[in-house]
Amino acid sequence: MSYYGSSSSGGWGRQRVEYGRTYVVRPKGRHQATILWLHGLGDNGASWSQLLDSLPLPSIKWICPTAATRPVTAFGGFPCTAWFDVEDTSVDGRDDIEGLDALAAHIANLLSSEPPDVKLGIGGFSMGATAALYSAACYAHGRFASGITYPITLSTIISLSGWLPCSRTLRSKMESSHMAARRAASLPILLSHGRADEVVSYRNAERSSDTLRSSGFLYLHFKSYTGLGHYTIPEEMDDVGKWISSRLGLDRSR
């Protein structure tokens, strides 16, 4: 079922978005959770599917889509794989709300066919992490920016080296209803960031965490790594795996 456009396309302006290949890592044990993982700018789903497949998380199915190739303002209009347009990788940058909304709907479409007893999560790196946080806001608010009802229930959000989009309006959205406040307070979110990140500054991660907490996302864990730049390391991914298993109550053994 499609909730916005189609399961393989959305819209930037009036243009159709043709997403790239989606890579799927099947669970090696009992299927308890499905996590959709979004790559960073210029990357693809293949690289992350290989890394996620190596984690000792046999109960998780990973869905790793690839973004469409499009002009990116931050690169002077040079085209590369990007989930939405971006001018500045900070909480103060212009938000491509239409692009973020279309992507959030695409994510929901991809997760909507999972079994009803399976827990659903969204994670990502860099702009993929930003998209995951936008989806968290849509889920808590109960609808996309377009006004369409958000169709799935999320059990976890993982943000690695990202930033919070639409931060100026988040608090008012979460205060719009008691249901939004309850969903926000009960959604487990992991924010993970390197203190030496040269692309998305550590200060942006701190500000993102502060804004999320002040907006009612109280089930939030902020983990920092000294000396880590804009990439991931085994220690961080091990912490991600432990955090997911603990929050979702998953089997760790193969």
Side-chain angles (χ1 to χ4, degrees), residues 128-172:
T130 296
L133 293 175
Y134 183 81
S135 288
C138 291
Y139 161 69
H141 186 46
R143 61 190 66 253
F144 301 105
S146 64
I148 298 174
T149 300
Y150 194 80
I152 60 175
T153 299
L154 296 178
S155 295
T156 189
I157 296 289
I158 306 103
S159 167
L160 308 186
S161 305
W163 69 95
L164 178 66
C166 307
S167 60
R168 292 174 288 274
T169 58
L170 183 60
R171 186 170 180 174
S172 63

mmCIF file of all heavy atoms in Angstrom, residues 128-172:
data_model
loop_
_atom_site.group_PDB
_atom_site.id
_atom_site.type_symbol
_atom_site.label_atom_id
_atom_site.label_comp_id
_atom_site.label_asym_id
_atom_site.label_seq_id
_atom_site.Cartn_x
_atom_site.Cartn_y
_atom_site.Cartn_z
ATOM 1 N N GLY A 128 21.148 10.634 6.352
ATOM 2 C CA GLY A 128 20.239 9.529 6.626
ATOM 3 C C GLY A 128 19.750 9.561 8.058
ATOM 4 O O GLY A 128 18.588 9.254 8.347
ATOM 5 N N ALA A 129 20.633 9.961 8.976
ATOM 6 C CA ALA A 129 20.250 10.126 10.375
ATOM 7 C C ALA A 129 19.253 11.271 10.524
ATOM 8 O O ALA A 129 18.290 11.198 11.311
ATOM 9 C CB ALA A 129 21.486 10.387 11.228
ATOM 10 N N THR A 130 19.479 12.337 9.771
ATOM 11 C CA THR A 130 18.567 13.480 9.794
ATOM 12 C C THR A 130 17.172 13.060 9.340
ATOM 13 O O THR A 130 16.162 13.454 9.933
ATOM 14 C CB THR A 130 19.115 14.593 8.888
ATOM 15 O OG1 THR A 130 20.356 15.045 9.429
ATOM 16 C CG2 THR A 130 18.157 15.758 8.767
ATOM 17 N N ALA A 131 17.121 12.236 8.299
ATOM 18 C CA ALA A 131 15.833 11.728 7.816
ATOM 19 C C ALA A 131 15.160 10.833 8.855
ATOM 20 O O ALA A 131 13.933 10.856 9.005
ATOM 21 C CB ALA A 131 16.034 10.964 6.513
ATOM 22 N N ALA A 132 15.949 10.044 9.580
ATOM 23 C CA ALA A 132 15.394 9.201 10.634
ATOM 24 C C ALA A 132 14.757 10.053 11.728
ATOM 25 O O ALA A 132 13.670 9.737 12.231
ATOM 26 C CB ALA A 132 16.480 8.302 11.222
ATOM 27 N N LEU A 133 15.414 11.152 12.105
ATOM 28 C CA LEU A 133 14.865 12.050 13.126
ATOM 29 C C LEU A 133 13.608 12.748 12.619
ATOM 30 O O LEU A 133 12.677 12.992 13.392
ATOM 31 C CB LEU A 133 15.918 13.068 13.550
ATOM 32 C CG LEU A 133 17.124 12.491 14.302
ATOM 33 C CD1 LEU A 133 18.160 13.575 14.568
ATOM 34 C CD2 LEU A 133 16.689 11.843 15.619
ATOM 35 N N TYR A 134 13.568 13.062 11.339
ATOM 36 C CA TYR A 134 12.351 13.658 10.782
ATOM 37 C C TYR A 134 11.192 12.665 10.859
ATOM 38 O O TYR A 134 10.061 13.037 11.190
ATOM 39 C CB TYR A 134 12.587 14.086 9.329
ATOM 40 C CG TYR A 134 11.386 14.774 8.722
ATOM 41 C CD1 TYR A 134 11.145 16.125 8.967
ATOM 42 C CD2 TYR A 134 10.483 14.076 7.928
ATOM 43 C CE1 TYR A 134 10.034 16.765 8.432
ATOM 44 C CE2 TYR A 134 9.376 14.703 7.388
ATOM 45 C CZ TYR A 134 9.152 16.052 7.639
ATOM 46 O OH TYR A 134 8.040 16.669 7.107
ATOM 47 N N SER A 135 11.471 11.403 10.566
ATOM 48 C CA SER A 135 10.443 10.367 10.678
ATOM 49 C C SER A 135 9.952 10.224 12.114
ATOM 50 O O SER A 135 8.771 9.985 12.355
ATOM 51 C CB SER A 135 10.977 9.022 10.171
ATOM 52 O OG SER A 135 11.106 9.019 8.760
ATOM 53 N N ALA A 136 10.874 10.376 13.071
ATOM 54 C CA ALA A 136 10.484 10.316 14.484
ATOM 55 C C ALA A 136 9.475 11.413 14.805
ATOM 56 O O ALA A 136 8.482 11.180 15.519
ATOM 57 C CB ALA A 136 11.716 10.459 15.374
ATOM 58 N N ALA A 137 9.716 12.606 14.271
ATOM 59 C CA ALA A 137 8.804 13.716 14.504
ATOM 60 C C ALA A 137 7.445 13.459 13.852
ATOM 61 O O ALA A 137 6.392 13.745 14.443
ATOM 62 C CB ALA A 137 9.409 15.012 13.976
ATOM 63 N N CYS A 138 7.452 12.918 12.629
ATOM 64 C CA CYS A 138 6.193 12.591 11.946
ATOM 65 C C CYS A 138 5.400 11.544 12.725
ATOM 66 O O CYS A 138 4.178 11.657 12.874
ATOM 67 C CB CYS A 138 6.471 12.096 10.532
ATOM 68 S SG CYS A 138 7.105 13.335 9.388
ATOM 69 N N TYR A 139 6.098 10.516 13.205
ATOM 70 C CA TYR A 139 5.433 9.470 13.986
ATOM 71 C C TYR A 139 4.811 10.042 15.252
ATOM 72 O O TYR A 139 3.642 9.774 15.559
ATOM 73 C CB TYR A 139 6.433 8.371 14.340
ATOM 74 C CG TYR A 139 5.985 7.502 15.480
ATOM 75 C CD1 TYR A 139 4.901 6.628 15.345
ATOM 76 C CD2 TYR A 139 6.625 7.560 16.723
ATOM 77 C CE1 TYR A 139 4.473 5.842 16.397
ATOM 78 C CE2 TYR A 139 6.204 6.777 17.784
ATOM 79 C CZ TYR A 139 5.120 5.923 17.619
ATOM 80 O OH TYR A 139 4.693 5.155 18.679
ATOM 81 N N ALA A 140 5.568 10.832 15.989
ATOM 82 C CA ALA A 140 5.045 11.390 17.233
ATOM 83 C C ALA A 140 3.881 12.338 16.969
ATOM 84 O O ALA A 140 2.863 12.314 17.675
ATOM 85 C CB ALA A 140 6.161 12.116 17.991
ATOM 86 N N HIS A 141 4.014 13.165 15.953
ATOM 87 C CA HIS A 141 2.963 14.117 15.610
ATOM 88 C C HIS A 141 1.726 13.416 15.052
ATOM 89 O O HIS A 141 0.608 13.935 15.145
ATOM 90 C CB HIS A 141 3.505 15.122 14.589
ATOM 91 C CG HIS A 141 2.574 16.242 14.267
ATOM 92 N ND1 HIS A 141 1.891 16.962 15.222
ATOM 93 C CD2 HIS A 141 2.186 16.763 13.072
ATOM 94 C CE1 HIS A 141 1.149 17.892 14.636
ATOM 95 N NE2 HIS A 141 1.296 17.784 13.338
ATOM 96 N N GLY A 142 1.946 12.225 14.475
ATOM 97 C CA GLY A 142 0.825 11.451 13.938
ATOM 98 C C GLY A 142 0.512 11.727 12.488
ATOM 99 O O GLY A 142 -0.437 11.160 11.935
ATOM 100 N N ARG A 143 1.316 12.603 11.852
ATOM 101 C CA ARG A 143 1.059 12.917 10.454
ATOM 102 C C ARG A 143 2.300 13.514 9.804
ATOM 103 O O ARG A 143 3.189 14.020 10.483
ATOM 104 C CB ARG A 143 -0.123 13.869 10.309
ATOM 105 C CG ARG A 143 0.043 15.229 10.981
ATOM 106 C CD ARG A 143 -1.272 16.006 10.989
ATOM 107 N NE ARG A 143 -2.261 15.347 11.812
ATOM 108 C CZ ARG A 143 -3.313 14.694 11.338
ATOM 109 N NH1 ARG A 143 -3.507 14.616 10.030
ATOM 110 N NH2 ARG A 143 -4.174 14.114 12.145
ATOM 111 N N PHE A 144 2.313 13.428 8.487
ATOM 112 C CA PHE A 144 3.359 14.076 7.709
ATOM 113 C C PHE A 144 3.066 15.569 7.643
ATOM 114 O O PHE A 144 1.972 16.021 7.987
ATOM 115 C CB PHE A 144 3.416 13.503 6.291
ATOM 116 C CG PHE A 144 3.686 12.024 6.221
ATOM 117 C CD1 PHE A 144 2.664 11.129 5.922
ATOM 118 C CD2 PHE A 144 4.966 11.524 6.434
ATOM 119 C CE1 PHE A 144 2.912 9.761 5.844
ATOM 120 C CE2 PHE A 144 5.226 10.161 6.357
ATOM 121 C CZ PHE A 144 4.200 9.279 6.066
ATOM 122 N N ALA A 145 4.017 16.337 7.151
ATOM 123 C CA ALA A 145 3.790 17.767 6.974
ATOM 124 C C ALA A 145 2.662 18.021 5.975
ATOM 125 O O ALA A 145 1.986 19.049 6.041
ATOM 126 C CB ALA A 145 5.070 18.445 6.498
ATOM 127 N N SER A 146 2.458 17.081 5.056
ATOM 128 C CA SER A 146 1.385 17.200 4.065
ATOM 129 C C SER A 146 0.005 17.082 4.688
ATOM 130 O O SER A 146 -0.998 17.393 4.052
ATOM 131 C CB SER A 146 1.542 16.109 3.004
ATOM 132 O OG SER A 146 1.381 14.824 3.590
ATOM 133 N N GLY A 147 -0.057 16.601 5.946
ATOM 134 C CA GLY A 147 -1.332 16.400 6.623
ATOM 135 C C GLY A 147 -1.819 14.967 6.596
ATOM 136 O O GLY A 147 -2.753 14.607 7.320
ATOM 137 N N ILE A 148 -1.182 14.120 5.768
ATOM 138 C CA ILE A 148 -1.557 12.706 5.696
ATOM 139 C C ILE A 148 -1.144 11.997 6.979
ATOM 140 O O ILE A 148 -0.071 12.242 7.521
ATOM 141 C CB ILE A 148 -0.892 12.040 4.476
ATOM 142 C CG1 ILE A 148 -1.388 12.701 3.188
ATOM 143 C CG2 ILE A 148 -1.174 10.545 4.446
ATOM 144 C CD1 ILE A 148 -0.677 12.214 1.942
ATOM 145 N N THR A 149 -1.991 11.110 7.470
ATOM 146 C CA THR A 149 -1.738 10.384 8.707
ATOM 147 C C THR A 149 -0.505 9.494 8.592
ATOM 148 O O THR A 149 -0.327 8.790 7.590
ATOM 149 C CB THR A 149 -2.959 9.518 9.075
ATOM 150 O OG1 THR A 149 -4.097 10.359 9.243
ATOM 151 C CG2 THR A 149 -2.707 8.738 10.369
ATOM 152 N N TYR A 150 0.352 9.527 9.623
ATOM 153 C CA TYR A 150 1.520 8.644 9.643
ATOM 154 C C TYR A 150 1.043 7.225 9.917
ATOM 155 O O TYR A 150 0.357 6.976 10.919
ATOM 156 C CB TYR A 150 2.520 9.085 10.712
ATOM 157 C CG TYR A 150 3.870 8.439 10.566
ATOM 158 C CD1 TYR A 150 4.783 8.914 9.631
ATOM 159 C CD2 TYR A 150 4.235 7.338 11.332
ATOM 160 C CE1 TYR A 150 6.030 8.319 9.470
ATOM 161 C CE2 TYR A 150 5.480 6.742 11.178
ATOM 162 C CZ TYR A 150 6.373 7.240 10.239
ATOM 163 O OH TYR A 150 7.599 6.640 10.070
ATOM 164 N N PRO A 151 1.398 6.241 9.057
ATOM 165 C CA PRO A 151 0.697 4.954 9.066
ATOM 166 C C PRO A 151 1.296 3.825 9.894
ATOM 167 O O PRO A 151 0.675 2.767 10.021
ATOM 168 C CB PRO A 151 0.715 4.574 7.589
ATOM 169 C CG PRO A 151 2.033 5.117 7.106
ATOM 170 C CD PRO A 151 2.258 6.386 7.865
ATOM 171 N N ILE A 152 2.501 3.968 10.424
ATOM 172 C CA ILE A 152 3.134 2.846 11.104
ATOM 173 C C ILE A 152 3.547 3.240 12.522
ATOM 174 O O ILE A 152 3.613 4.414 12.858
ATOM 175 C CB ILE A 152 4.366 2.325 10.336
ATOM 176 C CG1 ILE A 152 5.424 3.435 10.199
ATOM 177 C CG2 ILE A 152 3.961 1.779 8.976
ATOM 178 C CD1 ILE A 152 6.725 2.974 9.555
ATOM 179 N N THR A 153 3.823 2.219 13.336
ATOM 180 C CA THR A 153 4.275 2.438 14.709
ATOM 181 C C THR A 153 5.772 2.170 14.788
ATOM 182 O O THR A 153 6.245 1.100 14.401
ATOM 183 C CB THR A 153 3.543 1.502 15.683
ATOM 184 O OG1 THR A 153 2.143 1.784 15.632
ATOM 185 C CG2 THR A 153 4.039 1.713 17.108
ATOM 186 N N LEU A 154 6.522 3.146 15.276
ATOM 187 C CA LEU A 154 7.972 3.003 15.386
ATOM 188 C C LEU A 154 8.374 2.598 16.800
ATOM 189 O O LEU A 154 7.795 3.068 17.775
ATOM 190 C CB LEU A 154 8.662 4.314 15.017
ATOM 191 C CG LEU A 154 8.481 4.786 13.568
ATOM 192 C CD1 LEU A 154 9.177 6.124 13.345
ATOM 193 C CD2 LEU A 154 9.003 3.746 12.583
ATOM 194 N N SER A 155 9.399 1.756 16.885
ATOM 195 C CA SER A 155 9.889 1.281 18.175
ATOM 196 C C SER A 155 11.276 1.786 18.509
ATOM 197 O O SER A 155 11.723 1.660 19.653
ATOM 198 C CB SER A 155 9.898 -0.255 18.206
ATOM 199 O OG SER A 155 8.584 -0.772 18.117
ATOM 200 N N THR A 156 11.987 2.342 17.534
ATOM 201 C CA THR A 156 13.321 2.877 17.813
ATOM 202 C C THR A 156 13.798 3.758 16.666
ATOM 203 O O THR A 156 13.394 3.580 15.509
ATOM 204 C CB THR A 156 14.349 1.751 18.051
ATOM 205 O OG1 THR A 156 15.567 2.311 18.529
ATOM 206 C CG2 THR A 156 14.625 0.976 16.793
ATOM 207 N N ILE A 157 14.676 4.710 17.011
ATOM 208 C CA ILE A 157 15.323 5.595 16.042
ATOM 209 C C ILE A 157 16.814 5.645 16.385
ATOM 210 O O ILE A 157 17.182 5.805 17.551
ATOM 211 C CB ILE A 157 14.751 7.027 16.098
ATOM 212 C CG1 ILE A 157 13.277 7.046 15.693
ATOM 213 C CG2 ILE A 157 15.574 7.981 15.234
ATOM 214 C CD1 ILE A 157 13.026 6.791 14.215
ATOM 215 N N ILE A 158 17.676 5.509 15.360
ATOM 216 C CA ILE A 158 19.118 5.577 15.571
ATOM 217 C C ILE A 158 19.697 6.642 14.657
ATOM 218 O O ILE A 158 19.520 6.576 13.433
ATOM 219 C CB ILE A 158 19.807 4.223 15.280
ATOM 220 C CG1 ILE A 158 19.162 3.104 16.091
ATOM 221 C CG2 ILE A 158 21.300 4.305 15.577
ATOM 222 C CD1 ILE A 158 18.234 2.220 15.287
ATOM 223 N N SER A 159 20.372 7.607 15.231
ATOM 224 C CA SER A 159 20.961 8.715 14.466
ATOM 225 C C SER A 159 22.460 8.756 14.691
ATOM 226 O O SER A 159 22.924 9.025 15.799
ATOM 227 C CB SER A 159 20.322 10.048 14.896
ATOM 228 O OG SER A 159 21.054 11.151 14.402
ATOM 229 N N LEU A 160 23.241 8.497 13.640
ATOM 230 C CA LEU A 160 24.693 8.554 13.712
ATOM 231 C C LEU A 160 25.183 9.757 12.904
ATOM 232 O O LEU A 160 24.937 9.842 11.697
ATOM 233 C CB LEU A 160 25.333 7.281 13.147
ATOM 234 C CG LEU A 160 24.868 5.924 13.673
ATOM 235 C CD1 LEU A 160 25.746 4.820 13.087
ATOM 236 C CD2 LEU A 160 24.875 5.883 15.170
ATOM 237 N N SER A 161 25.852 10.684 13.552
ATOM 238 C CA SER A 161 26.499 11.814 12.887
ATOM 239 C C SER A 161 25.522 12.667 12.081
ATOM 240 O O SER A 161 25.859 13.161 11.003
ATOM 241 C CB SER A 161 27.628 11.322 11.959
ATOM 242 O OG SER A 161 28.544 10.522 12.663
ATOM 243 N N GLY A 162 24.312 12.838 12.600
ATOM 244 C CA GLY A 162 23.314 13.617 11.896
ATOM 245 C C GLY A 162 22.975 14.918 12.599
ATOM 246 O O GLY A 162 23.643 15.326 13.551
ATOM 247 N N TRP A 163 21.922 15.557 12.125
ATOM 248 C CA TRP A 163 21.435 16.789 12.757
ATOM 249 C C TRP A 163 19.911 16.787 12.707
ATOM 250 O O TRP A 163 19.305 16.087 11.894
ATOM 251 C CB TRP A 163 21.999 18.030 12.060
ATOM 252 C CG TRP A 163 21.484 18.279 10.670
ATOM 253 C CD1 TRP A 163 20.446 19.094 10.296
ATOM 254 C CD2 TRP A 163 21.977 17.700 9.451
ATOM 255 N NE1 TRP A 163 20.257 19.068 8.937
ATOM 256 C CE2 TRP A 163 21.194 18.227 8.391
ATOM 257 C CE3 TRP A 163 23.007 16.804 9.145
ATOM 258 C CZ2 TRP A 163 21.404 17.862 7.055
ATOM 259 C CZ3 TRP A 163 23.208 16.446 7.814
ATOM 260 C CH2 TRP A 163 22.417 16.979 6.798
ATOM 261 N N LEU A 164 19.294 17.550 13.572
ATOM 262 C CA LEU A 164 17.834 17.583 13.674
ATOM 263 C C LEU A 164 17.247 18.590 12.693
ATOM 264 O O LEU A 164 17.550 19.784 12.773
ATOM 265 C CB LEU A 164 17.426 17.951 15.102
ATOM 266 C CG LEU A 164 15.923 18.083 15.370
ATOM 267 C CD1 LEU A 164 15.235 16.733 15.230
ATOM 268 C CD2 LEU A 164 15.688 18.675 16.760
ATOM 269 N N PRO A 165 16.389 18.135 11.773
ATOM 270 C CA PRO A 165 15.747 19.078 10.861
ATOM 271 C C PRO A 165 14.494 19.690 11.502
ATOM 272 O O PRO A 165 13.952 19.151 12.464
ATOM 273 C CB PRO A 165 15.364 18.195 9.670
ATOM 274 C CG PRO A 165 15.055 16.870 10.309
ATOM 275 C CD PRO A 165 16.016 16.745 11.475
ATOM 276 N N CYS A 166 14.065 20.812 10.958
ATOM 277 C CA CYS A 166 12.814 21.454 11.395
ATOM 278 C C CYS A 166 12.790 21.687 12.908
ATOM 279 O O CYS A 166 11.744 21.559 13.558
ATOM 280 C CB CYS A 166 11.604 20.627 10.977
ATOM 281 S SG CYS A 166 11.557 20.230 9.215
ATOM 282 N N SER A 167 13.944 22.022 13.463
ATOM 283 C CA SER A 167 14.052 22.158 14.920
ATOM 284 C C SER A 167 13.243 23.333 15.464
ATOM 285 O O SER A 167 12.800 23.312 16.611
ATOM 286 C CB SER A 167 15.520 22.330 15.319
ATOM 287 O OG SER A 167 16.079 23.495 14.719
ATOM 288 N N ARG A 168 13.022 24.342 14.635
ATOM 289 C CA ARG A 168 12.326 25.541 15.113
ATOM 290 C C ARG A 168 10.841 25.303 15.357
ATOM 291 O O ARG A 168 10.202 26.052 16.105
ATOM 292 C CB ARG A 168 12.519 26.686 14.107
ATOM 293 C CG ARG A 168 13.961 27.205 14.038
ATOM 294 C CD ARG A 168 14.145 28.239 12.941
ATOM 295 N NE ARG A 168 14.102 27.637 11.614
ATOM 296 C CZ ARG A 168 15.162 27.101 11.010
ATOM 297 N NH1 ARG A 168 16.339 27.095 11.617
ATOM 298 N NH2 ARG A 168 15.066 26.577 9.806
ATOM 299 N N THR A 169 10.281 24.279 14.729
ATOM 300 C CA THR A 169 8.844 24.022 14.862
ATOM 301 C C THR A 169 8.527 22.739 15.627
ATOM 302 O O THR A 169 7.355 22.426 15.845
ATOM 303 C CB THR A 169 8.187 23.941 13.475
ATOM 304 O OG1 THR A 169 8.828 22.895 12.713
ATOM 305 C CG2 THR A 169 8.342 25.258 12.723
ATOM 306 N N LEU A 170 9.555 22.002 16.035
ATOM 307 C CA LEU A 170 9.328 20.691 16.641
ATOM 308 C C LEU A 170 8.544 20.787 17.941
ATOM 309 O O LEU A 170 7.578 20.045 18.154
ATOM 310 C CB LEU A 170 10.668 19.989 16.895
ATOM 311 C CG LEU A 170 10.572 18.572 17.461
ATOM 312 C CD1 LEU A 170 9.806 17.651 16.525
ATOM 313 C CD2 LEU A 170 11.957 18.017 17.734
ATOM 314 N N ARG A 171 8.930 21.688 18.815
ATOM 315 C CA ARG A 171 8.286 21.762 20.130
ATOM 316 C C ARG A 171 6.791 22.052 20.011
ATOM 317 O O ARG A 171 5.969 21.418 20.698
ATOM 318 C CB ARG A 171 8.966 22.826 20.985
ATOM 319 C CG ARG A 171 8.438 22.867 22.419
ATOM 320 C CD ARG A 171 9.303 23.749 23.303
ATOM 321 N NE ARG A 171 8.815 23.785 24.670
ATOM 322 C CZ ARG A 171 9.449 24.376 25.669
ATOM 323 N NH1 ARG A 171 10.624 24.963 25.453
ATOM 324 N NH2 ARG A 171 8.945 24.371 26.878
ATOM 325 N N SER A 172 6.422 22.987 19.154
ATOM 326 C CA SER A 172 4.998 23.314 19.005
ATOM 327 C C SER A 172 4.208 22.133 18.463
ATOM 328 O O SER A 172 3.058 21.913 18.858
ATOM 329 C CB SER A 172 4.832 24.525 18.082
ATOM 330 O OG SER A 172 5.314 24.249 16.777
#
